[in-house]
Amino acid sequence: MRVKVISRSTDDFTRERSQDLQKVFRNYDPGLRSQEKAVEYTRALNAAKLEKIFAKPFVGAMDGHIDAISCMAKNPNHLKAIFSGSMDGDIRLWDIAARKTVCQFPGHQGAVRGLATSTDGDLLVSCGVDCTVRLWKVPMLKMVDTSDHTGDNSQACTGWIETYFLHQQSSHGSMHFLIIFVLTAVRGVDHQWDGNLFATAGAQVDIWDPNRSEPINSFQWGNDTVLSLRFDPGECNILITSASDRSLTLYDLRTSSPARKLIMKTRCNSVCWNPREPMNFTAANEDTNCYSFDARKLDEAKIVHKGHVSAVVFRMDIDYSPTGREFVTGSYDRTVRIFNYFGDHSREIYHTKRMQRVFCVKYTYDGTYLVSGSDDTNLRLWKSKASEQLGVLLPRERKRQEYLDAVKERYKHLPEVKRIDRHRHLPKAIYNAAKLRRTMIEAENQKAERRRKHSTPGSMPVQPFRKRRIIKEVE
């Protein structure tokens, strides 16, 4: 008779140290676990609840400005550095980690409307309502320690290279002034992603070379003011602008005239390209929605992103994450919202009691944080994932979090998980405004449906919302 004896190696289940974890042997045969789906559903439900419990997105505030913050720019040389400009003409370089001012750039006599950095991060371009565009040499600074500086006794950096006065001509010593008969303020500026040129927006679009005192090219399509402009990250010679005539215009620096123009029913206050899909861009519109377009097919929006309840006339800012999968928006409704690129509603809504109208928002270069500048003179630092644990995670902690995310993704369509995951606590004023806006949209749709029923068949075709806000495309 043959007898089979169970034999195990002591190396498989013996711990080397008393602090080591005991190895657990599991049989993954699905026939032995008839309640596996029920257990996973409970884990997904608990994970959704725990995510809400630990959702603390606000990291801290950076104060130092004495007026509203109107624009921001990131520094490619430093992950934790960001520039900000305010309505009183003050420009500051911040250390995000220490949440302190590194240095200031004095010079503007009015509100700063735009900031941009060069590709190598050594040059800062600023523009404002004082009809000037200024080029600053960014100092080679090591980011400050928290014990070295404070926000009030920051060092003033006076290393600006050259000043372009776009209104009048004068000469004082070594300063160089340039004559361009433009009576309006400069509303925006942007630098090429891969190149030495930068562009300014005002009554017209001017293309500048930092080594020359005159614009190398100028574009104008109509007589309306250009509000914002952005260079394409994939093709450095392509840029897009939004203007006060409700248009989005594409320009090619290799040609002598603008390429295409899209006219909408309401104007776009800001526009941003997708860094990973550089043929796509998203425009923040005055009707509180954001519209994602394909630059090759402008007659229809790819996706309409809804959620904000106020944008008003001044601006609604937008910026993409480095991955291109998400973008952040800030609006007059005093909230910061994060949208998935393919999502029609925001996945996160950030707000505080003291935060007022948001004028500018930026993602950090690693996509972990985002910075908002508002009317209350503060920059605020937020986590891009509200419940994400900061600091170094152990391998077991990281694997557990990945497992919970996968389980929650599997059961996100079930009612209870979906309800908890979608719920967002909002201030009473924003909640009531959103409720009123939904009522108005439902009434408008119902009125259009009644008109369609009492009209000749075919005279009022159903138009998708992606085309409803577009008037025409001009080439």
Side-chain angles (χ1 to χ4, degrees):
M1 184 177 64
R2 186 176 297 178
V3 179
K4 293 183 178 180
V5 180
I6 298 176
S7 63
R8 297 188 179 95
S9 174
T10 56
D11 296 336
D12 294 337
F13 57 88
T14 304
R15 294 182 296 177
E16 295 180 0
R17 297 179 301 171
S18 60
Q19 291 85 5
D20 292 346
L21 297 173
Q22 287 280 8
K23 293 185 178 181
V24 180
F25 298 92
R26 290 190 175 92
N27 189 342
Y28 293 99
D29 183 9
L32 300 177
R33 292 176 175 80
S34 58
Q35 301 296 322
E36 183 180 8
K37 289 187 177 180
V39 171
E40 284 189 346
Y41 170 73
T42 304
R43 289 174 179 172
L45 192 62
N46 291 337
K49 293 178 180 178
L50 288 174
E51 186 179 0
K52 295 300 175 186
I53 292 174
F54 293 108
K56 296 180 179 180
F58 181 66
V59 178
M62 296 176 280
D63 58 344
H65 284 287
I66 60 175
D67 207 341
I69 299 169
S70 55
C71 56
M72 291 189 298
K74 295 176 283 189
N75 190 343
N77 281 343
H78 300 282
L79 186 64
K80 56 180 182 177
I82 194 167
F83 297 95
S84 65
S86 64
M87 291 292 189
D88 62 345
D90 185 23
I91 301 174
R92 291 179 178 234
L93 173 61
W94 297 87
D95 183 359
I96 297 178
R99 297 203 285 275
K100 301 293 181 182
T101 301
V102 177
C103 67
Q104 295 178 253
F105 301 86
H108 281 284
Q109 302 301 318
V112 181
R113 289 300 190 188
L115 291 173
T117 54
S118 60
T119 309
D120 55 8
D122 294 334
L123 190 66
L124 173 68
V125 185
S126 64
C127 65
V129 297
D130 56 354
C131 302
T132 66
V133 176
R134 302 188 181 225
L135 275 67
W136 310 79
K137 184 68 175 178
V138 178
M140 299 299 293
L141 293 177
K142 295 181 180 179
M143 293 290 102
V144 299
D145 189 9
T146 54
S147 59
D148 293 342
H149 295 80
T150 61
D152 298 330
N153 58 354
S154 56
Q155 177 186 3
C157 301
T158 58
W160 54 282
I161 301 174
E162 191 171 7
T163 306
Y164 296 142
F165 281 78
L166 305 181
H167 185 202
Q168 57 184 356
Q169 183 183 19
S170 176
S171 59
H172 300 283
S174 60
M175 280 189 181
H176 182 80
F177 293 82
L178 177 69
I179 301 178
I180 301 178
F181 295 100
V182 178
L183 301 178
T184 58
V186 184
R187 302 296 298 269
V189 64
D190 193 30
H191 199 283
Q192 284 182 324
W193 286 62
D194 185 15
N196 298 323
L197 305 181
F198 67 92
T200 58
Q204 61 184 5
V205 178
D206 293 324
I207 311 300
W208 301 82
D209 189 332
N211 299 319
R212 298 183 59 180
S213 58
E214 295 183 359
I216 61 175
N217 204 350
S218 296
F219 298 98
Q220 188 173 9
W221 193 341
N223 298 318
D224 293 275
T225 304
V226 180
L227 302 177
S228 66
L229 77 166
R230 291 288 182 94
F231 274 100
D232 191 335
E235 177 54 64
C236 61
N237 292 315
I238 301 295
L239 65 91
I240 187 170
T241 64
S242 63
S244 58
D245 61 349
R246 314 184 310 277
S247 67
L248 293 170
T249 309
L250 285 169
Y251 295 88
D252 191 342
L253 304 188
R254 296 163 294 190
T255 62
S256 58
S257 60
R260 301 163 71 187
K261 177 189 279 191
L262 177 69
I263 300 177
M264 304 184 69
K265 290 187 177 180
T266 49
R267 79 179 188 184
C268 295
N269 297 317
S270 183
V271 65
C272 186
W273 293 93
N274 189 329
R276 293 299 178 184
E277 298 176 2
M279 75 291 293
N280 299 326
F281 65 90
T282 303
N285 201 274
E286 208 172 62
D287 63 357
T288 74
N289 297 328
C290 296
Y291 298 88
S292 293
F293 290 93
D294 189 333
R296 301 164 297 185
K297 189 176 184 297
L298 294 176
D299 60 343
E300 179 181 4
K302 294 183 65 176
I303 304 172
V304 180
H305 312 275
K306 305 174 184 177
H308 281 290
V309 297
S310 176
V312 298
V313 178
F314 178 63
R315 70 180 303 156
M316 173 177 168
D317 200 19
I318 182 172
D319 188 49
Y320 263 94
S321 70
T323 61
R325 296 295 89 192
E326 295 177 343
F327 63 88
V328 60
T329 60
S331 173
Y332 256 46
D333 60 5
R334 307 187 301 280
T335 62
V336 176
R337 299 182 186 237
I338 302 176
F339 292 83
N340 289 322
Y341 171 66
F342 50 83
D344 56 348
H345 285 83
S346 59
R347 70 164 182 86
E348 287 291 351
I349 306 173
Y350 295 160
H351 56 85
T352 64
K353 270 186 178 179
R354 298 181 179 180
M355 185 168 69
Q356 299 301 313
R357 300 171 297 185
V358 181
F359 290 157
C360 50
V361 286
K362 289 291 181 185
Y363 260 99
T364 56
Y365 273 117
D366 60 352
T368 307
Y369 302 96
L370 49 98
V371 185
S372 65
S374 54
D375 198 12
D376 56 3
T377 75
N378 283 340
L379 274 79
R380 287 179 172 84
L381 185 65
W382 311 83
K383 292 189 289 186
S384 60
K385 293 183 180 178
S387 60
E388 185 179 14
Q389 181 179 346
L390 299 179
V392 180
L393 293 179
L394 297 175
R396 292 182 68 245
E397 292 177 326
R398 187 175 65 253
K399 288 181 180 179
R400 174 174 173 77
Q401 188 60 44
E402 291 173 355
Y403 170 74
L404 293 178
D405 291 341
V407 169
K408 193 172 62 174
E409 180 69 20
R410 179 181 296 179
Y411 294 97
K412 66 179 181 179
H413 62 282
L414 295 180
E416 194 67 18
V417 179
K418 185 178 181 180
R419 182 186 65 83
I420 297 173
D421 190 46
R422 292 184 58 184
H423 176 73
R424 298 290 183 275
H425 177 73
L426 292 175
K428 194 171 183 179
I430 300 175
Y431 177 81
N432 291 336
K435 186 177 179 181
L436 177 61
R437 181 167 178 80
R438 284 195 300 269
T439 303
M440 294 168 61
I441 293 175
E442 290 174 2
E444 183 180 350
N445 293 337
Q446 190 176 22
K447 183 176 181 180
E449 184 64 25
R450 288 173 177 171
R451 282 183 174 178
R452 193 174 295 109
K453 286 182 179 179
H454 291 81
S455 301
T456 306
S459 61
M460 295 184 63
V462 179
Q463 193 176 21
F465 194 80
R466 298 189 305 273
K467 295 183 177 180
R468 201 175 300 171
R469 307 297 299 178
I470 298 174
I471 297 178
K472 64 178 180 178
E473 179 183 358
V474 183
E475 293 187 2

